[in-house]
Amino acid sequence: MRLMRIGAAGAERPVVAIDDETYIDVSDVVADFDGSFFAAGLDGLAATVADRVAAGAARRFAGERVGAPIARPHQILCVGLNYADHAAESGQEPPAEPIVFTKAPNTLVGPDDDVHIPRGSSATDWEVELGVVIGARAHYLESDEEARAAIAGYVLVNDVSERDFQLRHGGQWVKGKSAPTFNPCGPWLVTPDELGEVDDLGMWLDVNGQRRQTGSTAHMLFDPVFVVRYLSRFMALEPGDLINTGTPAGVGMGFDPPVYLRPGDRMELGIDGLGRQRQSVVATP
């Protein structure tokens, strides 16, 4: 299935995309695609959707805003330097274990919503990433099979970052990651049975029509199953949690001289099977 939330910000309704033009509205049986929904499991929803498709209940998209495919999660976790080429452009050695940091949950926005450059920013940057959504409480997982079973699905995310806030103001990276609008997500959450293996998904990002990032999940140092199992050693992952798994080379920080986002810029990005996003960059009033 491809789960979506459409409608005005704060008033999205849950739907299931059938193809690029049609969907099944499930807002009468699902309050939202949130932690409670994922904890209950997706099997019942799949049966409902199948019945409604057979009954001819599909509707056509009509230009509705697309929101993030999950409601605000309990937490957003991120893995840093998870691609060797990105570690190299950052001037750092590939880590022996995942580098983990958090991102404020209220950074989450729709895939085509504007990205706001924070006040005082001089180094707002882009990062195309594979996101993992947790489907069951995960703590002290003992096998890859358990970790795989804890994954509800995958999403496309843009882990927008302010490098000056992140690297030159002391403390942890969260300061450069948590401005409002810094986590465009979607358009869909794609369940593992529909997406298949995620070990070689092409990924890309353009700024103003110029290709900046080209990569593949095949080059991850730590794959999603490993990351989920690893994180469960240190914390309890909750249903609906989002994990951003890192970005390949090509971020603005890696250019000489660096190239950063400015108001009026346009970003477009995608991952095989997970759709694409388009964002305009605007100044924060």
Side-chain angles (χ1 to χ4, degrees):
M1 287 187 295
R2 291 188 294 171
L3 310 186
M4 296 182 70
R5 297 166 69 246
I6 60 176
E12 298 93 343
R13 69 183 192 278
V15 305
V16 177
I18 303 306
D19 51 39
D20 291 344
E21 296 183 352
T22 60
Y23 67 92
I24 296 294
D25 192 319
V26 294
S27 59
D28 59 326
V29 294
V30 175
D32 208 345
F33 293 143
D34 56 12
S36 297
F37 165 78
F38 290 111
L42 282 70
D43 291 344
L45 181 63
T48 297
V49 171
D51 289 344
R52 294 184 177 185
V53 169
R59 303 181 184 181
R60 298 187 70 84
F61 290 108
E64 301 93 339
R65 171 186 171 271
V66 178
I70 59 175
R72 184 183 297 188
H74 161 255
Q75 61 182 342
I76 299 176
L77 298 166
C78 305
V79 181
L81 306 181
N82 198 22
Y83 290 74
D85 56 358
H86 176 53
E89 72 177 352
S90 302
Q92 302 185 60
E93 292 294 322
E97 295 188 35
I99 295 172
V100 180
F101 58 94
T102 63
K103 191 161 192 165
N106 64 1
T107 58
L108 196 71
V109 293
D112 301 329
D113 289 345
D114 291 344
V115 167
H116 293 251
I117 293 182
R119 294 179 184 176
S121 169
S122 61
T124 297
D125 207 346
W126 56 82
E127 295 188 17
V128 58
E129 302 197 10
L130 175 69
V132 178
V133 177
I134 298 298
R137 193 172 192 271
H139 197 202
Y140 297 128
L141 299 176
E142 295 183 354
S143 68
D144 286 352
E145 289 70 26
E146 288 183 337
R148 190 172 288 107
I151 296 173
Y154 299 92
V155 293
L156 167 64
V157 295
N158 187 354
D159 179 22
V160 184
S161 309
E162 213 297 335
R163 303 302 186 187
D164 187 64
F165 296 177
Q166 177 185 356
L167 300 173
R168 298 184 179 87
H169 285 268
Q172 300 186 8
W173 290 359
V174 64
K175 288 188 287 187
K177 299 284 186 171
S178 292
T181 74
F182 265 29
N183 207 122
C185 180
W188 318 302
L189 178 152
V190 183
T191 54
D193 61 318
E194 175 154 336
L195 184 61
E197 296 298 325
V198 298
D199 55 357
D200 191 13
L201 301 178
M203 52 203 310
W204 56 274
L205 183 145
D206 295 345
V207 179
N208 298 328
Q210 183 173 0
R211 184 58 47 92
R212 293 301 193 183
Q213 290 186 275
T214 302
S216 169
T217 57
H219 302 142
M220 279 187 178
L221 299 174
F222 309 105
D223 66 45
V225 170
F226 180 92
V227 167
V228 170
R229 185 176 178 186
Y230 179 86
L231 290 173
S232 79
R233 289 179 51 196
F234 305 102
M235 65 191 77
L237 304 174
E238 300 289 350
D241 282 355
L242 174 63
I243 304 169
N244 297 342
T245 60
T247 197
V251 300
M253 178 178 62
F255 287 85
D256 186 14
V259 178
Y260 293 122
L261 295 169
R262 296 289 181 265
D265 286 346
R266 290 276 296 174
M267 290 182 283
E268 186 167 355
L269 56 147
I271 295 179
D272 292 348
L274 295 176
R276 62 173 57 198
Q277 302 180 356
R278 299 175 182 85
Q279 295 115 29
S280 296
V281 180
V282 301
T284 296

